[in-house]
Amino acid sequence: MDDASAPEPTTPEAAQPRRRSVARRTLIGTGIGVASLALLGAGAAFAVEERILPGRSKLHQLLGLNGEPGRIPSTAPGPEVSGSFVSAARLGVTCGWTVSYPPGAKPGDALPVLVALHGYGGDHRSAFGNGLGLDRFLAQAVERGSRPFAVASVDGGNTYWHRRSSGEDAGAMVTDEFLPVLAQAGLDTSKVALFGWSMGGYGALHLGGLLGSARVASVVAESPAIWHTAAEAAHGAFDGAADFAANTPFGQEAALAGIPLRVGCGTGDGFCPNVQDYVAGLHPHPAGGFPPGGHDLDFWRREAPAQLAFAAAHFA
């Protein structure tokens, strides 16, 4: 199952900071049409934008504020190789993986590699094909003159890409098991790019900070699922307040020093205010931004060409 059918384990509205008790009242439900929404007036719309009332994502969707949906290009993808391994870091889980090569390249070529971390409910296939379509976006980028590189993705489960109280650690699976698999396949893993959306956007920031600039060529975090407090976080994202405190990206910005960053989120995404707060604490200011868009494939596909261009430009 990919992110198109399995969003984060909370609505984007619920992901917003719970700063006022009135935010718990459902004043803008899924059954309200544009005409009914208009009756709430400009004051209610302002309150939604300012996080006083819930409903940011629904408001932007109903008013058509999310922009045109991104489209997977028709460019034929290059070769693809898939496999699996039993992960000790994930306590014996069999992890599937896929590597997409650009047209003109072949398995075994020593290309730099972008590691794509999927969102909640996804797996390694979510990055390719009829999911995010990175295999075709990669082919399009190389056709337009981009430096060739490979895109690789692996199953991380719904673990939020960090060590859990059970001992399962999808982040360690990536760094200690998957990267060696890619190196054995001939790819250049000396300095990788990290890419992720939603849960995977958080994962890209987290793993980028763990590996540091010596191992990471760039980080692209799209619509990262991040929260200010453990109480705000989606159920299952963390194992409690201590786990949250140890793994939140807030306050850990310095760990990404020296790594080129691209961080973005759609303005119609419930995570947008949190991501804006996070970006404000990054120095220097990262690439990316906050264009119209929701927490969905329509937005992520629209951003994909610029994201892959950013990663390609920062491979050594």
PDB file of all heavy atoms in Angstrom, residues 226-263:
ATOM      1  N   ILE A 226       6.467  16.177  11.080  1.00  0.00           N
ATOM      2  CA  ILE A 226       7.153  16.615  12.299  1.00  0.00           C
ATOM      3  C   ILE A 226       6.183  17.371  13.193  1.00  0.00           C
ATOM      4  O   ILE A 226       5.237  18.000  12.721  1.00  0.00           O
ATOM      5  CB  ILE A 226       8.394  17.484  11.984  1.00  0.00           C
ATOM      6  CG1 ILE A 226       8.011  18.716  11.155  1.00  0.00           C
ATOM      7  CG2 ILE A 226       9.448  16.660  11.248  1.00  0.00           C
ATOM      8  CD1 ILE A 226       9.184  19.655  10.881  1.00  0.00           C
ATOM      9  N   TRP A 227       6.449  17.287  14.494  1.00  0.00           N
ATOM     10  CA  TRP A 227       5.593  17.918  15.488  1.00  0.00           C
ATOM     11  C   TRP A 227       6.453  18.632  16.521  1.00  0.00           C
ATOM     12  O   TRP A 227       7.623  18.280  16.722  1.00  0.00           O
ATOM     13  CB  TRP A 227       4.736  16.867  16.196  1.00  0.00           C
ATOM     14  CG  TRP A 227       3.811  16.117  15.291  1.00  0.00           C
ATOM     15  CD1 TRP A 227       2.523  16.447  14.985  1.00  0.00           C
ATOM     16  CD2 TRP A 227       4.083  14.880  14.594  1.00  0.00           C
ATOM     17  NE1 TRP A 227       1.982  15.502  14.126  1.00  0.00           N
ATOM     18  CE2 TRP A 227       2.915  14.537  13.869  1.00  0.00           C
ATOM     19  CE3 TRP A 227       5.200  14.045  14.499  1.00  0.00           C
ATOM     20  CZ2 TRP A 227       2.822  13.394  13.087  1.00  0.00           C
ATOM     21  CZ3 TRP A 227       5.114  12.906  13.706  1.00  0.00           C
ATOM     22  CH2 TRP A 227       3.943  12.591  13.013  1.00  0.00           C
ATOM     23  N   HIS A 228       5.863  19.582  17.213  1.00  0.00           N
ATOM     24  CA  HIS A 228       6.582  20.319  18.249  1.00  0.00           C
ATOM     25  C   HIS A 228       6.688  19.540  19.556  1.00  0.00           C
ATOM     26  O   HIS A 228       7.659  19.696  20.297  1.00  0.00           O
ATOM     27  CB  HIS A 228       5.893  21.652  18.527  1.00  0.00           C
ATOM     28  CG  HIS A 228       6.124  22.690  17.476  1.00  0.00           C
ATOM     29  ND1 HIS A 228       7.321  23.344  17.332  1.00  0.00           N
ATOM     30  CD2 HIS A 228       5.301  23.189  16.513  1.00  0.00           C
ATOM     31  CE1 HIS A 228       7.242  24.201  16.330  1.00  0.00           C
ATOM     32  NE2 HIS A 228       6.028  24.122  15.812  1.00  0.00           N
ATOM     33  N   THR A 229       5.684  18.728  19.872  1.00  0.00           N
ATOM     34  CA  THR A 229       5.666  18.022  21.151  1.00  0.00           C
ATOM     35  C   THR A 229       5.211  16.584  20.942  1.00  0.00           C
ATOM     36  O   THR A 229       4.561  16.250  19.945  1.00  0.00           O
ATOM     37  CB  THR A 229       4.715  18.690  22.161  1.00  0.00           C
ATOM     38  OG1 THR A 229       3.354  18.522  21.711  1.00  0.00           O
ATOM     39  CG2 THR A 229       5.017  20.179  22.321  1.00  0.00           C
ATOM     40  N   ALA A 230       5.517  15.741  21.916  1.00  0.00           N
ATOM     41  CA  ALA A 230       5.085  14.350  21.865  1.00  0.00           C
ATOM     42  C   ALA A 230       3.566  14.243  21.885  1.00  0.00           C
ATOM     43  O   ALA A 230       2.980  13.353  21.262  1.00  0.00           O
ATOM     44  CB  ALA A 230       5.686  13.578  23.033  1.00  0.00           C
ATOM     45  N   ALA A 231       2.901  15.155  22.588  1.00  0.00           N
ATOM     46  CA  ALA A 231       1.441  15.120  22.677  1.00  0.00           C
ATOM     47  C   ALA A 231       0.776  15.368  21.335  1.00  0.00           C
ATOM     48  O   ALA A 231      -0.321  14.866  21.078  1.00  0.00           O
ATOM     49  CB  ALA A 231       0.962  16.154  23.693  1.00  0.00           C
ATOM     50  N   GLU A 232       1.421  16.140  20.463  1.00  0.00           N
ATOM     51  CA  GLU A 232       0.857  16.432  19.144  1.00  0.00           C
ATOM     52  C   GLU A 232       1.072  15.293  18.156  1.00  0.00           C
ATOM     53  O   GLU A 232       0.342  15.175  17.178  1.00  0.00           O
ATOM     54  CB  GLU A 232       1.528  17.674  18.558  1.00  0.00           C
ATOM     55  CG  GLU A 232       1.284  18.957  19.302  1.00  0.00           C
ATOM     56  CD  GLU A 232       2.206  20.064  18.818  1.00  0.00           C
ATOM     57  OE1 GLU A 232       2.949  19.857  17.831  1.00  0.00           O
ATOM     58  OE2 GLU A 232       2.175  21.142  19.425  1.00  0.00           O
ATOM     59  N   ALA A 233       2.106  14.475  18.380  1.00  0.00           N
ATOM     60  CA  ALA A 233       2.530  13.494  17.378  1.00  0.00           C
ATOM     61  C   ALA A 233       1.477  12.433  17.125  1.00  0.00           C
ATOM     62  O   ALA A 233       0.675  12.094  18.006  1.00  0.00           O
ATOM     63  CB  ALA A 233       3.839  12.836  17.822  1.00  0.00           C
ATOM     64  N   ALA A 234       1.489  11.902  15.917  1.00  0.00           N
ATOM     65  CA  ALA A 234       0.576  10.824  15.550  1.00  0.00           C
ATOM     66  C   ALA A 234       0.822   9.610  16.429  1.00  0.00           C
ATOM     67  O   ALA A 234       1.953   9.318  16.825  1.00  0.00           O
ATOM     68  CB  ALA A 234       0.782  10.450  14.086  1.00  0.00           C
ATOM     69  N   HIS A 235      -0.247   8.880  16.715  1.00  0.00           N
ATOM     70  CA  HIS A 235      -0.133   7.665  17.497  1.00  0.00           C
ATOM     71  C   HIS A 235       0.808   6.686  16.797  1.00  0.00           C
ATOM     72  O   HIS A 235       0.651   6.392  15.617  1.00  0.00           O
ATOM     73  CB  HIS A 235      -1.507   7.018  17.682  1.00  0.00           C
ATOM     74  CG  HIS A 235      -1.459   5.714  18.404  1.00  0.00           C
ATOM     75  ND1 HIS A 235      -1.217   5.628  19.756  1.00  0.00           N
ATOM     76  CD2 HIS A 235      -1.603   4.438  17.955  1.00  0.00           C
ATOM     77  CE1 HIS A 235      -1.218   4.351  20.116  1.00  0.00           C
ATOM     78  NE2 HIS A 235      -1.456   3.609  19.050  1.00  0.00           N
ATOM     79  N   GLY A 236       1.791   6.192  17.515  1.00  0.00           N
ATOM     80  CA  GLY A 236       2.718   5.231  16.943  1.00  0.00           C
ATOM     81  C   GLY A 236       3.963   5.826  16.340  1.00  0.00           C
ATOM     82  O   GLY A 236       4.905   5.094  16.012  1.00  0.00           O
ATOM     83  N   ALA A 237       4.000   7.153  16.186  1.00  0.00           N
ATOM     84  CA  ALA A 237       5.188   7.767  15.596  1.00  0.00           C
ATOM     85  C   ALA A 237       6.379   7.699  16.540  1.00  0.00           C
ATOM     86  O   ALA A 237       7.536   7.585  16.108  1.00  0.00           O
ATOM     87  CB  ALA A 237       4.903   9.214  15.204  1.00  0.00           C
ATOM     88  N   PHE A 238       6.111   7.779  17.844  1.00  0.00           N
ATOM     89  CA  PHE A 238       7.148   7.713  18.863  1.00  0.00           C
ATOM     90  C   PHE A 238       6.641   6.848  20.013  1.00  0.00           C
ATOM     91  O   PHE A 238       5.443   6.610  20.146  1.00  0.00           O
ATOM     92  CB  PHE A 238       7.520   9.115  19.347  1.00  0.00           C
ATOM     93  CG  PHE A 238       8.073   9.994  18.266  1.00  0.00           C
ATOM     94  CD1 PHE A 238       7.223  10.827  17.526  1.00  0.00           C
ATOM     95  CD2 PHE A 238       9.420   9.979  17.950  1.00  0.00           C
ATOM     96  CE1 PHE A 238       7.718  11.626  16.511  1.00  0.00           C
ATOM     97  CE2 PHE A 238       9.924  10.773  16.939  1.00  0.00           C
ATOM     98  CZ  PHE A 238       9.080  11.595  16.217  1.00  0.00           C
ATOM     99  N   ASP A 239       7.561   6.393  20.845  1.00  0.00           N
ATOM    100  CA  ASP A 239       7.211   5.499  21.943  1.00  0.00           C
ATOM    101  C   ASP A 239       6.986   6.241  23.252  1.00  0.00           C
ATOM    102  O   ASP A 239       7.033   5.632  24.316  1.00  0.00           O
ATOM    103  CB  ASP A 239       8.305   4.449  22.128  1.00  0.00           C
ATOM    104  CG  ASP A 239       8.435   3.551  20.907  1.00  0.00           C
ATOM    105  OD1 ASP A 239       7.392   3.109  20.394  1.00  0.00           O
ATOM    106  OD2 ASP A 239       9.571   3.306  20.459  1.00  0.00           O
ATOM    107  N   GLY A 240       6.740   7.513  23.195  1.00  0.00           N
ATOM    108  CA  GLY A 240       6.520   8.293  24.388  1.00  0.00           C
ATOM    109  C   GLY A 240       7.341   9.562  24.381  1.00  0.00           C
ATOM    110  O   GLY A 240       8.062   9.861  23.416  1.00  0.00           O
ATOM    111  N   ALA A 241       7.255  10.308  25.457  1.00  0.00           N
ATOM    112  CA  ALA A 241       7.910  11.611  25.518  1.00  0.00           C
ATOM    113  C   ALA A 241       9.423  11.504  25.431  1.00  0.00           C
ATOM    114  O   ALA A 241      10.077  12.336  24.787  1.00  0.00           O
ATOM    115  CB  ALA A 241       7.505  12.318  26.814  1.00  0.00           C
ATOM    116  N   ALA A 242      10.017  10.485  26.044  1.00  0.00           N
ATOM    117  CA  ALA A 242      11.474  10.345  26.009  1.00  0.00           C
ATOM    118  C   ALA A 242      11.961  10.026  24.599  1.00  0.00           C
ATOM    119  O   ALA A 242      12.971  10.570  24.143  1.00  0.00           O
ATOM    120  CB  ALA A 242      11.920   9.267  26.986  1.00  0.00           C
ATOM    121  N   ASP A 243      11.241   9.134  23.910  1.00  0.00           N
ATOM    122  CA  ASP A 243      11.600   8.793  22.537  1.00  0.00           C
ATOM    123  C   ASP A 243      11.477  10.016  21.637  1.00  0.00           C
ATOM    124  O   ASP A 243      12.341  10.284  20.798  1.00  0.00           O
ATOM    125  CB  ASP A 243      10.696   7.659  22.036  1.00  0.00           C
ATOM    126  CG  ASP A 243      11.041   7.205  20.624  1.00  0.00           C
ATOM    127  OD1 ASP A 243      12.236   7.169  20.284  1.00  0.00           O
ATOM    128  OD2 ASP A 243      10.108   6.907  19.859  1.00  0.00           O
ATOM    129  N   PHE A 244      10.397  10.779  21.839  1.00  0.00           N
ATOM    130  CA  PHE A 244      10.219  11.998  21.047  1.00  0.00           C
ATOM    131  C   PHE A 244      11.363  12.970  21.289  1.00  0.00           C
ATOM    132  O   PHE A 244      11.952  13.511  20.354  1.00  0.00           O
ATOM    133  CB  PHE A 244       8.886  12.660  21.379  1.00  0.00           C
ATOM    134  CG  PHE A 244       8.642  13.938  20.634  1.00  0.00           C
ATOM    135  CD1 PHE A 244       8.046  13.908  19.380  1.00  0.00           C
ATOM    136  CD2 PHE A 244       9.010  15.167  21.165  1.00  0.00           C
ATOM    137  CE1 PHE A 244       7.829  15.086  18.670  1.00  0.00           C
ATOM    138  CE2 PHE A 244       8.801  16.348  20.463  1.00  0.00           C
ATOM    139  CZ  PHE A 244       8.205  16.301  19.214  1.00  0.00           C
ATOM    140  N   ALA A 245      11.701  13.195  22.543  1.00  0.00           N
ATOM    141  CA  ALA A 245      12.756  14.156  22.884  1.00  0.00           C
ATOM    142  C   ALA A 245      14.092  13.753  22.285  1.00  0.00           C
ATOM    143  O   ALA A 245      14.884  14.600  21.868  1.00  0.00           O
ATOM    144  CB  ALA A 245      12.871  14.288  24.398  1.00  0.00           C
ATOM    145  N   ALA A 246      14.341  12.445  22.212  1.00  0.00           N
ATOM    146  CA  ALA A 246      15.618  11.963  21.682  1.00  0.00           C
ATOM    147  C   ALA A 246      15.686  12.039  20.167  1.00  0.00           C
ATOM    148  O   ALA A 246      16.791  12.069  19.597  1.00  0.00           O
ATOM    149  CB  ALA A 246      15.855  10.524  22.141  1.00  0.00           C
ATOM    150  N   ASN A 247      14.525  12.090  19.501  1.00  0.00           N
ATOM    151  CA  ASN A 247      14.528  11.944  18.043  1.00  0.00           C
ATOM    152  C   ASN A 247      13.835  13.058  17.278  1.00  0.00           C
ATOM    153  O   ASN A 247      13.788  13.023  16.049  1.00  0.00           O
ATOM    154  CB  ASN A 247      13.882  10.603  17.665  1.00  0.00           C
ATOM    155  CG  ASN A 247      14.721   9.423  18.111  1.00  0.00           C
ATOM    156  OD1 ASN A 247      15.781   9.167  17.567  1.00  0.00           O
ATOM    157  ND2 ASN A 247      14.255   8.710  19.125  1.00  0.00           N
ATOM    158  N   THR A 248      13.279  14.058  17.960  1.00  0.00           N
ATOM    159  CA  THR A 248      12.676  15.175  17.233  1.00  0.00           C
ATOM    160  C   THR A 248      13.743  15.956  16.481  1.00  0.00           C
ATOM    161  O   THR A 248      14.861  16.129  16.990  1.00  0.00           O
ATOM    162  CB  THR A 248      11.934  16.118  18.192  1.00  0.00           C
ATOM    163  OG1 THR A 248      11.454  17.250  17.449  1.00  0.00           O
ATOM    164  CG2 THR A 248      12.843  16.614  19.305  1.00  0.00           C
ATOM    165  N   PRO A 249      13.441  16.448  15.279  1.00  0.00           N
ATOM    166  CA  PRO A 249      14.414  17.282  14.573  1.00  0.00           C
ATOM    167  C   PRO A 249      14.535  18.685  15.164  1.00  0.00           C
ATOM    168  O   PRO A 249      15.543  19.355  14.948  1.00  0.00           O
ATOM    169  CB  PRO A 249      13.861  17.333  13.149  1.00  0.00           C
ATOM    170  CG  PRO A 249      12.395  17.118  13.298  1.00  0.00           C
ATOM    171  CD  PRO A 249      12.255  16.169  14.453  1.00  0.00           C
ATOM    172  N   PHE A 250      13.524  19.130  15.922  1.00  0.00           N
ATOM    173  CA  PHE A 250      13.602  20.448  16.547  1.00  0.00           C
ATOM    174  C   PHE A 250      14.690  20.433  17.627  1.00  0.00           C
ATOM    175  O   PHE A 250      14.737  19.551  18.489  1.00  0.00           O
ATOM    176  CB  PHE A 250      12.263  20.837  17.166  1.00  0.00           C
ATOM    177  CG  PHE A 250      11.213  21.211  16.161  1.00  0.00           C
ATOM    178  CD1 PHE A 250      10.218  20.307  15.803  1.00  0.00           C
ATOM    179  CD2 PHE A 250      11.221  22.462  15.556  1.00  0.00           C
ATOM    180  CE1 PHE A 250       9.247  20.653  14.871  1.00  0.00           C
ATOM    181  CE2 PHE A 250      10.254  22.818  14.628  1.00  0.00           C
ATOM    182  CZ  PHE A 250       9.274  21.909  14.278  1.00  0.00           C
ATOM    183  N   GLY A 251      15.576  21.409  17.538  1.00  0.00           N
ATOM    184  CA  GLY A 251      16.688  21.473  18.462  1.00  0.00           C
ATOM    185  C   GLY A 251      17.903  20.699  18.011  1.00  0.00           C
ATOM    186  O   GLY A 251      18.961  20.769  18.653  1.00  0.00           O
ATOM    187  N   GLN A 252      17.781  19.953  16.911  1.00  0.00           N
ATOM    188  CA  GLN A 252      18.889  19.166  16.388  1.00  0.00           C
ATOM    189  C   GLN A 252      19.376  19.689  15.036  1.00  0.00           C
ATOM    190  O   GLN A 252      20.057  18.980  14.292  1.00  0.00           O
ATOM    191  CB  GLN A 252      18.458  17.697  16.240  1.00  0.00           C
ATOM    192  CG  GLN A 252      17.948  17.063  17.514  1.00  0.00           C
ATOM    193  CD  GLN A 252      19.007  17.022  18.601  1.00  0.00           C
ATOM    194  OE1 GLN A 252      20.185  16.794  18.328  1.00  0.00           O
ATOM    195  NE2 GLN A 252      18.594  17.271  19.834  1.00  0.00           N
ATOM    196  N   GLU A 253      19.046  20.920  14.728  1.00  0.00           N
ATOM    197  CA  GLU A 253      19.375  21.473  13.410  1.00  0.00           C
ATOM    198  C   GLU A 253      20.875  21.468  13.136  1.00  0.00           C
ATOM    199  O   GLU A 253      21.309  21.274  11.991  1.00  0.00           O
ATOM    200  CB  GLU A 253      18.832  22.893  13.299  1.00  0.00           C
ATOM    201  CG  GLU A 253      17.304  22.999  13.270  1.00  0.00           C
ATOM    202  CD  GLU A 253      16.684  23.050  14.665  1.00  0.00           C
ATOM    203  OE1 GLU A 253      17.423  22.846  15.663  1.00  0.00           O
ATOM    204  OE2 GLU A 253      15.469  23.273  14.757  1.00  0.00           O
ATOM    205  N   ALA A 254      21.693  21.648  14.162  1.00  0.00           N
ATOM    206  CA  ALA A 254      23.141  21.717  13.973  1.00  0.00           C
ATOM    207  C   ALA A 254      23.728  20.406  13.451  1.00  0.00           C
ATOM    208  O   ALA A 254      24.800  20.401  12.845  1.00  0.00           O
ATOM    209  CB  ALA A 254      23.820  22.109  15.284  1.00  0.00           C
ATOM    210  N   ALA A 255      23.022  19.289  13.665  1.00  0.00           N
ATOM    211  CA  ALA A 255      23.510  17.998  13.187  1.00  0.00           C
ATOM    212  C   ALA A 255      23.564  17.935  11.667  1.00  0.00           C
ATOM    213  O   ALA A 255      24.287  17.110  11.099  1.00  0.00           O
ATOM    214  CB  ALA A 255      22.628  16.871  13.726  1.00  0.00           C
ATOM    215  N   LEU A 256      22.812  18.816  11.003  1.00  0.00           N
ATOM    216  CA  LEU A 256      22.777  18.843   9.538  1.00  0.00           C
ATOM    217  C   LEU A 256      23.756  19.857   8.955  1.00  0.00           C
ATOM    218  O   LEU A 256      23.754  20.084   7.736  1.00  0.00           O
ATOM    219  CB  LEU A 256      21.359  19.162   9.059  1.00  0.00           C
ATOM    220  CG  LEU A 256      20.299  18.109   9.409  1.00  0.00           C
ATOM    221  CD1 LEU A 256      18.900  18.668   9.199  1.00  0.00           C
ATOM    222  CD2 LEU A 256      20.491  16.855   8.567  1.00  0.00           C
ATOM    223  N   ALA A 257      24.596  20.434   9.778  1.00  0.00           N
ATOM    224  CA  ALA A 257      25.541  21.450   9.313  1.00  0.00           C
ATOM    225  C   ALA A 257      26.422  20.902   8.196  1.00  0.00           C
ATOM    226  O   ALA A 257      26.944  19.796   8.281  1.00  0.00           O
ATOM    227  CB  ALA A 257      26.414  21.927  10.474  1.00  0.00           C
ATOM    228  N   GLY A 258      26.563  21.703   7.153  1.00  0.00           N
ATOM    229  CA  GLY A 258      27.407  21.320   6.031  1.00  0.00           C
ATOM    230  C   GLY A 258      26.727  20.472   4.980  1.00  0.00           C
ATOM    231  O   GLY A 258      27.331  20.169   3.945  1.00  0.00           O
ATOM    232  N   ILE A 259      25.485  20.061   5.213  1.00  0.00           N
ATOM    233  CA  ILE A 259      24.740  19.256   4.244  1.00  0.00           C
ATOM    234  C   ILE A 259      23.793  20.171   3.470  1.00  0.00           C
ATOM    235  O   ILE A 259      22.972  20.864   4.074  1.00  0.00           O
ATOM    236  CB  ILE A 259      23.917  18.158   4.938  1.00  0.00           C
ATOM    237  CG1 ILE A 259      24.824  17.222   5.743  1.00  0.00           C
ATOM    238  CG2 ILE A 259      23.121  17.360   3.901  1.00  0.00           C
ATOM    239  CD1 ILE A 259      24.063  16.187   6.550  1.00  0.00           C
ATOM    240  N   PRO A 260      23.864  20.201   2.143  1.00  0.00           N
ATOM    241  CA  PRO A 260      22.882  20.974   1.376  1.00  0.00           C
ATOM    242  C   PRO A 260      21.469  20.448   1.634  1.00  0.00           C
ATOM    243  O   PRO A 260      21.225  19.243   1.509  1.00  0.00           O
ATOM    244  CB  PRO A 260      23.312  20.740  -0.076  1.00  0.00           C
ATOM    245  CG  PRO A 260      24.759  20.371   0.007  1.00  0.00           C
ATOM    246  CD  PRO A 260      24.891  19.595   1.282  1.00  0.00           C
ATOM    247  N   LEU A 261      20.562  21.329   1.980  1.00  0.00           N
ATOM    248  CA  LEU A 261      19.207  20.934   2.360  1.00  0.00           C
ATOM    249  C   LEU A 261      18.172  21.545   1.428  1.00  0.00           C
ATOM    250  O   LEU A 261      18.284  22.704   1.027  1.00  0.00           O
ATOM    251  CB  LEU A 261      18.889  21.399   3.783  1.00  0.00           C
ATOM    252  CG  LEU A 261      19.768  20.897   4.926  1.00  0.00           C
ATOM    253  CD1 LEU A 261      19.310  21.522   6.239  1.00  0.00           C
ATOM    254  CD2 LEU A 261      19.723  19.385   5.016  1.00  0.00           C
ATOM    255  N   ARG A 262      17.161  20.752   1.124  1.00  0.00           N
ATOM    256  CA  ARG A 262      15.959  21.262   0.462  1.00  0.00           C
ATOM    257  C   ARG A 262      14.782  20.765   1.287  1.00  0.00           C
ATOM    258  O   ARG A 262      14.568  19.554   1.409  1.00  0.00           O
ATOM    259  CB  ARG A 262      15.857  20.767  -0.980  1.00  0.00           C
ATOM    260  CG  ARG A 262      14.601  21.306  -1.693  1.00  0.00           C
ATOM    261  CD  ARG A 262      14.469  20.771  -3.115  1.00  0.00           C
ATOM    262  NE  ARG A 262      13.173  21.134  -3.663  1.00  0.00           N
ATOM    263  CZ  ARG A 262      12.920  22.227  -4.376  1.00  0.00           C
ATOM    264  NH1 ARG A 262      13.900  23.064  -4.637  1.00  0.00           N
ATOM    265  NH2 ARG A 262      11.707  22.477  -4.825  1.00  0.00           N
ATOM    266  N   VAL A 263      14.043  21.693   1.877  1.00  0.00           N
ATOM    267  CA  VAL A 263      12.914  21.356   2.743  1.00  0.00           C
ATOM    268  C   VAL A 263      11.704  22.136   2.248  1.00  0.00           C
ATOM    269  O   VAL A 263      11.774  23.355   2.070  1.00  0.00           O
ATOM    270  CB  VAL A 263      13.195  21.706   4.211  1.00  0.00           C
ATOM    271  CG1 VAL A 263      12.027  21.272   5.100  1.00  0.00           C
ATOM    272  CG2 VAL A 263      14.495  21.061   4.685  1.00  0.00           C
TER     273      VAL A 263
END
